């Protein structure tokens, strides 16, 4: 049923794909060819597909998008307000195209030169050998048309390789800047963290103009034994834009993945996060905040898959929904038969600020092991009257009390971001968007 | 302490209140003058906590009869925040956790609201930091509590100390402390009680609501009231608490079933 003849929309999106330069990495060429095959076999999802029930992407399919032909001539002064003081290493992509003059590569700084932070298409032959087993391996695109589309254009992207036992002190900033309307960009990230390594990566999507464009991203994150990865993802695309993202994370023994994802922008956004706890003692924290208004739609689908014993997962996903906006959360926790002594908790809390705001939440717990500790729950509602009374009993006005509690609802997630200047910026954003007079 | 010729702070007459149509307070009479410490004791469900929340203006309760006058003002006409600004403070039995708001931010907001009310200057974060650290010493609180979210992951004792810290900052005319001793170990009771004693002055008053006599070993009340079924059924001096401790609450009901306090 997924075969649709005359799928001209998808065919159109592939325009120009065949002109991509052949990569020295044979696997990459094969991946692209496979992906082209899949795109021609698949169709765009619609609300009759279970995974897209609440997220109607028909506005996307009514518009035409192409990868850019001519890059915007941006200067540092145009974009430096997006830079973060803590992140000395920075890869900047403008409308999906790597911008070396805006980037600061790790080799330019004094950090350990064995660490790779570079454009994927500039990978050395040694790096190619390292990435070969991982690239395209973790994000499944057989049945995922957006991941397949991204893979057809697999060319440039952010490549981070942290060797064994190396700790990268400063966060790495991956900055994706959209500047033009009707552009489709296909950002790609691959992070390979060696055993015992540690790194913090910020994936940051921003816009210079309020235009309609599509960002379709794929990120793959691989943690070897005892590795620690902090992954912060900020989606602050234009309010006209479409943002579709797939992220796949794989954790080996005793490794730890900690993520905070924040959705602020886009007309329609969809984030699929798949975390595979592939070996014993792995730990994952996946927190999220969607702060949306007007007619925005933010959809987060997560799957945390416990496959081996003694793994831990923690998830707190929050949505603050204003005006006639619509938030969707679908969070699956899978506990496989072998995953005894799993310790998992998941909570989805939603704050609706108006009577027209809407949320659809579906926490799913699938447990096939018998000795596990799993807790999950979801709440939807307005501010708590007991909390308001507590603040008023301290002399705060009704409005101040409500503002403070709404702010706090979002700030609880922002507080978990380990980059001080970014945290401060986002606290201001939450403050601006939650205050009423 | 009872002072001659001190002013009446609070005058409650025939106060009745319901929640969801069920009558909880059935005609309470209570007079509190400045300088005094009152203890209200009673079994669970006797209406003690409801009385405290009604005085603070909780909207879950409907007032069905009686009057409450606080420093000449009709308290029942005021919203909770107006009562707070007029000088009423409720120490919560179960203080609310507010993840995402730093305790120092919350305390400063509350403090500055009170400053504006008193026509005094608001304090900036640095000035406030000095003040709050000084007040925390009174309660032997670790300054770490300033940077943590309001009451989040605080132990029972830490939450209660945080309540008394707020009381110390807001400097109310009338503090109503609802089961402030519950959940505290014996050292914490002593520290919290000592804090409350130091805050008691000639021009303010305290109502302690408590189930047990324990707290009263450290804070000596001028009056002890016993509540039962939404009424004050007995009023006495500090020795009444000891009688209750040795005889139990049944003793009051048996001895003086029809007495209405003051």
């Amino acid at each position: 049923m997924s075969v649709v003849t005359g799928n001209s929309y998808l065919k159109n999106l592939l325009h120009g794909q065949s002109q991509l330069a052949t990569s020295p990495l044979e696997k990459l060429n094969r991946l692209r060819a496979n992906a082209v095959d899949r795109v021609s076999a698949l169709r765009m999802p619609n609300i009759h597909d279970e995974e897209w029930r609440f997220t109607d992407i028909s506005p996307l399919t009514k518009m035409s998008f192409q990868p850019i032909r001519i890059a915007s001539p941006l200067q540092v002064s145009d974009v430096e307000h997006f830079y973060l003081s803590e992140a000395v290493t920075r890869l900047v992509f403008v409308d999906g195209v790597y911008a070396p003059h805006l980037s600061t590569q790790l080799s330019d700084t004094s950090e350990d030169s064995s660490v790779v932070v570079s454009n994927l298409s500039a990978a050395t032959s040694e790096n190619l050998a390292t990435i070969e087993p991982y690239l395209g391996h973790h994000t499944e695109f057989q049945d995922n048309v957006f991941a397949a589309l991204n893979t057809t254009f697999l060319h440039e992207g952010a490549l981070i390789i942290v060797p064994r036992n190396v700790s990268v002190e400063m966060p790495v900033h991956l900055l994706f800047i959209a500047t033009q309307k009707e552009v489709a960009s296909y950002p790609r990230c691959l992070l390979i963290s060696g055993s015992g390594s540690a790194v913090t990566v910020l994936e940051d999507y921003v816009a210079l103009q309020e235009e309609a464009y599509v960002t379709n991203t794929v990120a793959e994150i691989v943690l070897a034994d005892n590795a620690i990865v902090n992954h912060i993802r900020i989606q602050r695309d234009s309010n006209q834009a479409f943002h579709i993202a797939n992220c796949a994370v794989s954790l080996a023994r005793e490794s730890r993945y900690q993520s905070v994802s924040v959705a602020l922008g886009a007309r329609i956004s969809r984030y699929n996060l798949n975390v595979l706890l592939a070996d014993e003692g792995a730990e994952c924290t996946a927190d999220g905040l969607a702060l949306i208004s007007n007619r925005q739609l933010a959809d987060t689908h997560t799957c945390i898959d416990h496959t081996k014993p003694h793994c831990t997962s923690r998830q707190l996903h929050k949505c603050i929904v204003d005006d006639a906006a619509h938030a969707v959360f679908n969070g699956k926790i899978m506990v496989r038969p072998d995953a005894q002594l799993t310790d998992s908790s998941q909570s989805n809390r939603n704050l609706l600020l108006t009577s027209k705001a809407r949320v659809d939440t579906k926490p799913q717990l699938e447990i096939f092991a018998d000795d596990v500790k799993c807790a999950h729950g979801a709440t939807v509602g307005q501010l708590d009257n007991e909390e308001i009374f507590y603040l008023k009993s301290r002399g705060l006005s009704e409005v101040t009390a409500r503002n403070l509690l709404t702010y706090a609802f979002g700030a609880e997630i922002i507080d978990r971001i380990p980059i001080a200047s970014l945290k401060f910026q986002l606290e201001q954003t939450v403050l601006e968007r939650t205050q009423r007079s | 302490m009872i002072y001659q010729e001190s002013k009446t702070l609070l005058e409650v007459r025939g106060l009745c209140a319901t929640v969801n149509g069920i009558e909880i307070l059935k005609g309470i009479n209570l007079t509190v003058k400045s300088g005094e410490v009152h203890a209200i004791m009673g079994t669970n469900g006797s209406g003690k906590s409801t009385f405290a929340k009604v005085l603070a203006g909780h909207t879950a309760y409907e007032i069905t009869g009686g009057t409450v006058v606080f420093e000449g003002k009709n308290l029942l006409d005021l919203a909770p925040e107006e009562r707070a600004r007029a000088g009423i403070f409720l120490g919560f039995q179960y203080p609310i956790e507010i993840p995402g708001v730093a305790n120092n931010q919350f305390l400063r907001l509350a403090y500055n609201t009170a400053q504006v009310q008193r026509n005094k200057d608001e304090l900036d974060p640095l000035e406030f930091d000095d003040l709050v650290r000084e007040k925390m010493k009174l309660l032997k609180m670790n300054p770490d509590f300033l940077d943590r979210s309001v009451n989040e992951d605080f132990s029972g004792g830490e939450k209660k100390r945080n309540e008394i810290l707020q009381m110390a900052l807001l400097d109310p005319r009338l503090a109503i402390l609802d089961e402030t001793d519950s959940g505290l170990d014996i050292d914490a009771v002593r520290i919290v009680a000592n804090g409350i004693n130091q805050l008691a002055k000639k021009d303010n008053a305290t109502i302690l609501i408590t189930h047990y006599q324990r707290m009263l070993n450290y804070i000596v009340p001028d009056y002890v009231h016993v509540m039962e079924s939404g009424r004050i059924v007995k009023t006495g001096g500090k020795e009444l608490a000891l009688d209750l401790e040795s005889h139990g609450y049944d003793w009051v009901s048996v001895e003086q079933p029809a007495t209405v306090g003051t």
Side-chain angles (χ1 to χ4, degrees), chain A residues 167 258 285 288:
Chain A
S167 286
Q258 300 169 138
T285 308

Side-chain angles (χ1 to χ4, degrees), chain A residues 318 349 384-387 389-398 400 404-405 407-409 411-412 415-416, chain B residues 56-58 80-81 84-85 89-90 92 95-101 106 109-110 113 151-152 163 166 170:
Chain A
K318 290 183 145 187
R349 297 189 56 206
D384 184 272
N385 280 332
E386 294 301 318
E387 294 179 2
F389 176 65
Y390 186 61
L391 296 179
K392 287 167 84 174
S393 79
R394 299 303 181 249
L396 275 55
S397 69
E398 172 95 21
T400 307
L404 185 64
L405 291 171
Y407 165 77
F409 191 90
E412 185 184 11
D415 277 355
R416 300 181 180 194
Chain B
H58 198 296
E81 62 272 30
R85 291 174 202 164
F89 177 88
L90 173 62
F92 279 56
I96 306 288
E97 300 187 7
I98 314 174
V101 174
F106 165 65
L109 198 54
T113 306
N151 293 329
E152 189 189 25
E163 292 292 286
Q166 291 166 46
L170 296 175

Side-chain angles (χ1 to χ4, degrees), chain A residues 58-79:
Chain A
S58 58
L60 166 64
T61 59
K62 290 193 182 96
M63 297 168 84
S64 164
F65 301 96
Q66 302 294 331
I68 54 156
R69 305 219 164 74
I70 303 154
S72 297
L74 292 185
Q75 304 303 313
V76 170
S77 58
D78 299 323
V79 298

Side-chain angles (χ1 to χ4, degrees), chain A residues 366-432:
Chain A
E366 294 186 21
I367 304 177
F368 300 96
D370 51 19
D371 187 9
V372 300
K373 195 167 94 186
C374 293
H376 75 161
T379 59
V380 179
Q382 280 81 39
L383 292 171
D384 184 272
N385 280 332
E386 294 301 318
E387 294 179 2
I388 293 171
F389 176 65
Y390 186 61
L391 296 179
K392 287 167 84 174
S393 79
R394 299 303 181 249
L396 275 55
S397 69
E398 172 95 21
V399 170
T400 307
R402 287 185 174 274
N403 282 344
L404 185 64
L405 291 171
T406 311
Y407 165 77
F409 191 90
E412 185 184 11
I413 300 294
I414 302 299
D415 277 355
R416 300 181 180 194
I417 292 174
I419 305 171
S421 68
L422 178 65
K423 191 164 103 175
F424 180 74
Q425 259 181 39
L426 294 172
E427 281 170 352
Q428 296 310 305
T429 305
V430 174
L431 201 60
E432 283 159 21

Side-chain angles (χ1 to χ4, degrees), chain B:
Chain B
M1 195 178 287
I2 301 171
Y3 297 90
Q4 294 301 316
E5 297 160 23
S6 66
K7 287 192 310 176
T8 297
L9 272 182
L10 182 76
E11 184 87 54
V12 181
R13 283 289 161 260
L15 182 65
C16 297
T18 61
V19 62
N20 301 325
I22 300 163
E23 193 170 37
I24 309 284
L25 302 185
K26 301 171 184 172
I28 292 193
N29 298 310
L30 179 69
T31 303
V32 178
K33 293 183 173 176
S34 61
E36 295 173 353
V37 175
H38 291 242
I40 297 181
M41 303 183 71
T43 53
N44 290 329
S46 60
K48 310 186 296 288
S49 283
T50 298
F51 183 42
K53 285 186 195 165
V54 164
L55 289 179
H58 198 296
T59 49
Y61 304 94
E62 192 189 342
I63 310 301
T64 51
T67 57
V68 181
V69 176
F70 176 69
E71 294 204 294
K73 289 186 277 278
N74 180 357
L75 197 68
L76 300 178
D77 282 348
L78 303 180
E81 62 272 30
E82 293 168 329
R83 298 183 196 200
R85 291 174 202 164
I88 298 250
F89 177 88
L90 173 62
F92 279 56
Q93 183 177 6
Y94 303 108
I96 306 288
E97 300 187 7
I98 314 174
V101 174
N103 207 22
N104 56 2
Q105 184 190 356
F106 165 65
L107 294 171
R108 191 168 72 90
L109 198 54
Y111 179 78
N112 279 339
T113 306
Q115 287 292 94
V116 171
Q117 187 70 20
R118 299 179 196 121
N119 292 318
K120 289 186 183 161
D121 289 340
E122 297 186 36
L123 295 189
D124 69 29
L126 285 177
E127 293 167 328
F128 181 74
D129 198 61
D130 290 342
L131 173 77
V132 72
R133 280 168 191 269
E134 198 54 43
K135 302 276 185 197
M136 286 174 97
K137 285 182 193 161
L138 176 73
L139 295 156
K140 298 189 165 54
M141 281 177 84
N142 189 325
D144 291 352
F145 283 98
L146 291 174
D147 296 325
R148 289 167 55 181
S149 286
V150 179
N151 293 329
E152 189 189 25
D153 300 327
F154 285 25
S155 72
E158 289 161 353
K159 284 181 183 170
K160 296 300 174 70
R161 287 191 214 192
N162 208 32
E163 292 292 286
I164 304 306
L165 175 63
Q166 291 166 46
M167 175 179 157
L169 287 166
L170 296 175
D171 190 19
R173 302 302 306 280
L174 176 65
I176 305 153
L177 305 176
D178 189 5
E179 304 275 2
T180 295
D181 56 334
S182 70
L184 298 191
D185 63 34
I186 199 74
D187 289 336
V189 170
R190 202 167 50 232
I191 292 165
V192 167
N194 183 42
I196 295 168
N197 282 333
Q198 291 201 31
L199 295 171
K201 300 193 197 92
K202 195 176 174 182
D203 65 349
N204 63 22
T206 307
I207 299 175
L208 292 171
I209 290 178
T210 182
H211 187 90
Y212 300 105
Q213 191 270 340
R214 187 172 73 151
M215 185 87 156
L216 306 181
N217 290 333
Y218 303 98
I219 303 174
V220 180
D222 301 304
Y223 298 97
V224 173
H225 310 275
V226 181
M227 263 189 88
E228 193 183 290
S229 306
R231 289 188 188 91
I232 289 175
V233 294
K234 191 174 175 67
T235 293
K238 63 182 184 215
E239 61 292 338
L240 178 56
L242 295 169
D243 287 341
L244 283 169
E245 185 80 353
S246 47
H247 302 297
Y249 284 106
D250 287 345
W251 165 76
V252 178
S253 328
V254 173
E255 181 173 291
Q256 275 178 319
T259 304
V260 173
T262 53

Side-chain angles (χ1 to χ4, degrees), chain A residues 268-286:
Chain A
I268 295 176
S269 66
R270 166 69 172 253
Y271 181 43
N272 291 334
L273 172 65
N274 291 304
V275 179
L276 180 68
L277 298 163
D279 209 342
E280 292 191 29
E283 289 178 33
C284 134
T285 308

